[in-house]
């Protein structure tokens, strides 16, 4: 029992490498989210943990026990799928009871567990219905109830909320976390949606092309992305990226792209010294661009980017503004504000102040972050 460890896990399907030397741990009681674009190997990773696929290389341990050769039903894993995988010919009650009955659990205990779980997920009035008589949200709660009745060593979720509409998804996230709170076992949750990952994960593991790019808290991935992929994938709208040249002008370190010149904080000089004269990619998060009079730092010529406002989108938090600049390449960028930007700014050129302390710099060849690379 306890933590689940994956070490140098590889899964090949003929010549296709679906999982490429992946290592991570899910600590006891931890809710780890595996996130990445479609096809990056998330489902395969889950299936390896459940024992539905055999690893080509590497080791999977539950606590101290190596489970590579343990059959799926002996691994004691509970899994919630995207399509819920509930039996269409069985009632809700029988679907929820199924896992306990197949493990020969006494009837009275099975009944009590089914009633507790279905009450918790608000489907106790639907026990005698068949799945086709249920809405998508209700089916999803049948799948969660079925995981709830089990005492598994590991809980796996494969995009369980992606078939729900946005309204239901928020409630469903709460339901998933309620299940986790109750069990407090290692849990691995897969999604392609970075905002869902940020909302749910104690830690988040970012995958691309079968490889693990970075693992950390949502905060760490957001503030200290190790490479361009993580930087761009985490956060919405995505980080703005500009092609810049790094220059040392006297004592001042400057990232410049055409007319746009950003003075970088002196603290960055030791790390960046070896890159002076090189072309780099400068990353600026949309919320690190400020309307000058509201900027929480002094504004001057050396931290201002001018852009023409193309679109203003009101959001619950303020507004998202899409702009084009003539000063830097590429030209289009996005800024988010905690206030509404009046529509009178449309088509006008405005100065925006860049919070230079929060910018990111990447080597365009290796795509590694120069500031948070280690
Ligand atoms: N049984 C299989 N045979 C061959 N290729 C597979 C098989 N299962 C998955 N793949 C391939 O492995 C890659 C990862 O798939 P998958 O784990 O389903 O990705 P994700 O869940 O992240 O979308 C994809 O390129 C997919 O086509
Ligand atoms: Mg998948």
């Amino acid at each position: 029992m306890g933590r689940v460890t994956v070490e140098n896990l590889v899964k090949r399907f003929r010549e296709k490498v679906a999982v490429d030397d992946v290592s991570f741990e899910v600590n006891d009681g931890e809710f780890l989210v595996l996130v990445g674009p479609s096809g990056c190997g998330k489902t395969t990773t889950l299936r390896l943990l459940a024992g539905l696929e055999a690893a080509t290389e590497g080791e999977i341990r539950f606590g101290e026990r190596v489970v590579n050769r343990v059959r799926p039903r002996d691994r004691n894993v509970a899994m919630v799928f995207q399509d819920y995988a509930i039996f269409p010919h069985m009632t809700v009650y029988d679907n929820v009871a199924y896992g306990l009955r197949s493990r020969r659990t006494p009837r009275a205990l099975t009944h009590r567990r089914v009633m507790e779980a279905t009450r918790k997920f608000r489907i106790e009035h639907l026990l005698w219905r068949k799945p086709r008589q249920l809405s998508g949200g209700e089916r999803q709660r049948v799948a969660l109830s079925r995981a709830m009745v089990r005492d598994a060593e590991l809980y796996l979720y494969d995009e369980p909320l992606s078939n729900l509409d946005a309204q239901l998804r928020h409630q469903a996230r709460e339901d998933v976390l309620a299940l986790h709170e109750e069990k407090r076992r290692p849990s691995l949750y897969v999604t392609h949606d970075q905002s869902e990952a940020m909302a749910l994960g104690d830690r988040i593991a970012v995958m691309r092309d079968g490889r693990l790019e970075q693992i950390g808290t949502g905060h760490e991935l957001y503030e200290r992305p190790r490479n361009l992929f993580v930087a761009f994938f985490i956060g919405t709208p995505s980080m703005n990226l500009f092609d810049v040249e790094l220059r040392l002008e006297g004592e001042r370190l400057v990232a410049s792209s055409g007319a746009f010149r950003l003075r970088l904080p002196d603290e960055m000089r030791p790390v960046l010294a070896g890159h002076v004269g090189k072309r780099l990619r400068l990353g600026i998060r949309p919320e690190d661009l400020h309307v000058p009079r509201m900027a929480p730092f002094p504004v001057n010529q050396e931290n201002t980017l001018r852009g023409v406002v193309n679109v203003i989108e009101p959001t619950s938090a303020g507004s998202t503004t899409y702009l084009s600049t003539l000063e830097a390449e590429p030209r289009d960028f996005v800024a988010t504000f905690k206030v509404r930007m009046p529509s009178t700014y449309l088509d006008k050129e405005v100065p925006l102040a860049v919070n230079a302390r929060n910018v990111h710099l990447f080597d365009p060849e290796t795509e590694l972050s120069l500031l948070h690379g280690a």
Side-chain angles (χ1 to χ4, degrees), residues 352-366:
L352 292 174
V354 179
N355 190 349
R357 299 200 170 276
N358 292 349
V359 302
H360 301 260
L361 284 158
F362 304 92
D363 181 321
E365 253 113 69
T366 62

Side-chain angles (χ1 to χ4, degrees), residues 13-250:
F13 298 106
R14 300 170 198 271
E15 68 286 355
K16 172 77 198 172
V17 187
V19 176
D20 189 0
D21 196 19
V22 163
S23 302
F24 62 85
E25 287 169 357
V26 195
N27 294 312
D28 202 9
E30 183 178 34
F31 199 88
L32 180 71
V33 177
L34 194 57
V35 67
S38 175
C40 72
K42 305 181 297 293
T43 294
T44 306
T45 305
L46 280 200
R47 290 173 58 82
L48 288 162
L49 281 161
L52 302 171
E53 302 282 358
T56 312
E57 287 169 37
E59 199 167 270
I60 301 169
R61 293 194 300 275
F62 289 5
E64 299 302 313
R65 185 168 69 122
V66 177
V67 297
N68 286 53
R69 290 182 198 295
V70 177
R71 290 181 308 164
R73 59 165 302 129
D74 298 326
R75 289 197 192 186
N76 196 18
V77 167
M79 200 156 169
V80 183
F81 297 90
Q82 175 173 7
D83 59 5
Y84 319 133
I86 49 183
F87 300 115
H89 59 284
M90 285 188 194
T91 62
V92 168
Y93 187 100
D94 289 341
N95 263 290
V96 176
Y98 182 82
L100 293 177
R101 285 179 180 153
S102 67
R103 282 175 172 72
R104 301 182 195 290
T105 310
R107 265 179 78 145
L109 179 60
T110 299
H111 182 70
R112 203 177 74 226
R113 286 272 172 104
V114 170
M115 297 312 287
E116 279 168 8
T118 52
R119 202 172 300 129
K120 178 148 195 121
F121 292 120
R122 309 175 303 285
I123 50 170
E124 73 270 33
H125 56 297
L126 303 171
L127 291 175
W128 310 113
R129 294 225 192 140
K130 298 275 179 68
R132 71 182 133 75
Q133 299 166 304
L134 303 176
S135 69
E138 288 161 350
R139 268 180 237 171
Q140 203 268 334
R141 272 137 54 200
V142 174
L144 287 178
S145 301
R146 198 172 47 182
M148 180 69 112
V149 299
R150 300 270 314 281
D151 285 317
E153 277 190 68
L154 171 65
Y155 288 78
L156 301 174
Y157 303 83
D158 194 357
E159 313 219 20
L161 310 187
S162 53
N163 289 341
L164 300 180
D165 58 49
Q167 291 283 326
L168 281 174
R169 218 174 295 154
H170 279 275
Q171 176 61 50
R173 282 181 192 171
E174 298 298 316
D175 287 337
V176 167
L177 288 180
L179 171 57
H180 179 63
E181 283 304 316
E182 180 102 7
K183 299 298 179 184
R184 282 274 143 207
R185 312 283 356 188
S187 299
L188 185 59
Y189 183 102
V190 157
T191 177
H192 64 271
D193 177 351
Q194 65 86 32
S195 59
E196 191 162 289
M198 294 294 263
L200 286 173
D202 291 328
R203 285 187 308 152
I204 299 169
V206 181
M207 250 183 125
R208 168 172 64 159
D209 291 343
R211 301 189 72 96
L212 204 59
E213 295 283 317
Q214 189 170 355
I215 184 163
T217 63
H219 191 74
E220 282 163 0
L221 297 184
Y222 190 81
E223 305 272 328
R224 309 176 62 81
R226 266 182 25 209
N227 59 37
L228 260 176
F229 180 79
V230 175
F232 196 74
F233 190 74
I234 297 288
T236 178
S238 286
M239 182 185 285
N240 299 295
L241 294 166
F242 297 102
D243 299 321
V244 296
E245 186 188 334
L246 193 64
R247 287 206 216 130
L248 197 56
E249 300 178 353

